[in-house]
Amino acid sequence: DFEWLLPPRARLRQLYLEALPRLVEHQAQQQSYNTALATTEQWLQAEPASEAAPKEAAMRYGRFQP
């Protein structure tokens, strides 16, 4: 059984979800708006119930450079 993997996996997922908004902010500060938007989309996929991710996506989409 692999139940022992559940707590470390949950912790890694939490770290990932905490890192995504910081990564988006860093990318935006570097004016990498396309990358920030792509990261925001990953965030939305990873955490669909997030309230912050759609707001971030809308803000980043306004700066999107096709």
Side-chain angles (χ1 to χ4, degrees):
D1 236 40
F2 295 102
E3 289 184 26
W4 64 272
L5 287 173
L6 295 178
R9 183 177 180 199
R11 178 68 182 137
L12 289 173
R13 176 173 169 70
Q14 185 61 36
L15 289 171
Y16 175 68
L17 293 175
E18 290 171 6
L20 285 171
R22 293 193 310 260
L23 179 58
V24 169
E25 183 60 32
H26 174 74
Q27 292 166 334
Q29 288 175 353
Q30 298 298 311
Q31 297 182 351
S32 297
Y33 300 120
N34 294 342
T35 306
L37 183 59
T39 303
T40 303
E41 290 172 357
Q42 287 179 325
W43 182 12
L44 283 165
Q45 288 176 0
E47 192 175 29
S50 169
E51 291 183 17
K55 292 176 188 174
E56 194 70 35
M59 185 170 66
R60 300 302 168 206
Y61 187 74
R63 295 183 180 163
F64 180 65
Q65 306 287 324

